Amino acid sequence: MLAGKPTRWAITALAVLGLALVAMPAAFQMFDRAPKGARMIADFRPYMTVARLSGYQTELRQIDAAVKEGGTSVAAQLSRSSSSFATRFPDFAQFERQWSAIYPDMSGMLTTIRRNVGNYEAVAALPSFTLFPWFFVIPGVIVLALLGLGIMRRARWRSVRWALVALGLALVLAPAVFQMFSRAPKGGRMMTAFKTIETSGRVARIQGYFGEIAAGQGAVALELIPALRRSGESAAEISTDYPGLTTFDAQWVHILNDMTPMIGAMSDNVANYQAVAALPPFALFPWFFVLPGLLVGGVAAGGGLRRLRRARDESSSDVLSSSTEGVI
Amino acid sequence: MTNRSLPRLGVGLAALVALALAAVPASAGQLKGTFGISAGSYFRMIYPAAAKSKSKYFSNPYSTDADKTYTLVTGGTDGGLRTGVLQPAPTPAFDAKGNSLAGRIIRPTSFTGIDFGLVTLGTAPSISVSAGRLSGQLVGFTAQWNKLSFKQGSSDVSGTYNAKTHAYVLTWTSVISGGPFNGFTGYWHLQGKFVS
């Protein structure tokens, strides 16, 4: 049974907890950072699927097949030696050199992103990041409001304490309800994996790759394929003899349609990623609910127990003394 | 004041008014009409420093110029860029492959295999001339490519204008903010004849 009057230490502790909950989002700049996190999650959504990422990997393999074919069978067809081929087709030769660095870098990046699809889905399934600051502010305001009510109307303190205990219980249960204990650490793993991807330097490097791949495709479409045609091969023969080259050429617009918005999403979310990374580690997030919940509920339940015991002791001693008096 | 001094005063006031009007060249020199886009007009895209590209300029293999870092543009169905009015995008703005269908300012031109077009959105362009020098704003100037729009306008365009031949040259730069070309700078050089 909860006692009917507030103790001073309980009032102080609940006031501190309420204020801490209200102040926490401001202290961690959540009002600014959390909406950026929400934007990042939303912007990544179209790309964070196994199907889409597999598509990108297929496109990289198509480009790789074209580059390899260009440097071997096409070069053999069009020139007597590799050096004369490079002299005759300098743009392709330059792209071939650049591709040897682009391919492993882009493939590695896509592999990392693909490995984190499950982690992304876990974070995306959490309530919107935009709401996160309010998950602290609203309980904090409720604690302070109930406390104020309890102080002003001491007769209602017992009801107020029950409400505070219920609020504390809700805070303790919230992470379990939202599956935060499993989802938040996955979000943390995604953030760690993207640490080397969502940087302005990495994005600029990919922008550079984009220009190099575009120039390489131009060399294939406007130099190599026309040269093969001039060497006497028909379009059908080129398609049969050089499937890598023709696939890259045929797929180019699709590759541009596909890759350009992904680069845009990566570029647009560098600042959003940095904002989310500056928040406390994801794995701690459930405890930001559980610990205040335990404290609010515990203080509300415990505050006044001594007074209750004292009241009981006093009333029992009164009964004892009155009965003794009667005997005497 | 005598009757003889009144005409002198009138001449003096007229001279003052003429001087005052001459001192306001911006309003007097507004060029409202079409800046025709002719041969010699081009666009270049400059890599951001962070891209660490070997070339300063983005190379467009589909450019018709010998130097592929220059993408040449020619006037569209309106002949060029109009001041005082907007030249918005058609509906739809793109075909299925992402080629821009905006053909009023320039004829859509291939950039890496996909056509880009130009439109003016929001604020209508305004250009004025003073002593053969052009100045003004093209803040609504927008390039459309691959189902994306890139603000390429400027509040500070400059150039030259020959009042006799109506030949003009307009140049400006515009840094792309956001999207796949974030940090790139567009350099625009338009030339041709102005028609009011």
Side-chain angles (χ1 to χ4, degrees), chain A residues 179-264:
Chain A
Q179 298 176 44
M180 275 190 196
F181 286 105
S182 60
R183 289 171 177 168
K186 286 181 178 177
R189 284 197 283 279
M190 184 190 80
M191 291 301 291
T192 304
F194 284 10
K195 198 174 180 179
T196 56
I197 294 173
E198 273 300 323
T199 68
S200 49
R202 184 67 176 262
V203 169
R205 200 159 80 217
I206 290 165
Q207 288 175 323
Y209 292 163
F210 178 81
E212 289 163 356
I213 296 169
Q217 189 277 336
V220 167
L222 305 170
E223 294 171 20
L224 294 192
I225 291 176
L228 287 168
R229 292 295 299 271
R230 285 195 299 275
S231 74
E233 294 211 42
S234 69
E237 286 169 335
I238 292 169
S239 180
T240 308
D241 296 345
Y242 310 105
L245 216 60
T246 44
T247 301
F248 178 31
D249 189 35
Q251 288 295 308
W252 174 239
V253 169
H254 173 70
I255 292 170
L256 268 183
N257 291 164
D258 216 23
M259 288 236 177
T260 311
M262 185 191 76
I263 298 170

Side-chain angles (χ1 to χ4, degrees), chain B residues 110-167:
Chain B
S110 182
F111 185 76
T112 70
I114 292 178
D115 290 350
F116 80 95
L118 295 174
V119 295
T120 48
L121 305 170
T123 308
S126 60
I127 307 283
S128 58
V129 61
S130 175
R133 293 271 161 203
L134 293 176
S135 62
Q137 62 78 21
L138 296 175
V139 293
F141 191 85
T142 304
Q144 296 191 316
W145 174 84
N146 200 6
K147 299 180 184 173
L148 298 166
S149 292
F150 303 90
K151 285 183 179 176
Q152 277 292 276
S154 170
S155 56
D156 186 25
V157 300
S158 61
T160 57
Y161 179 65
N162 185 324
K164 283 183 184 172
T165 63
H166 303 292

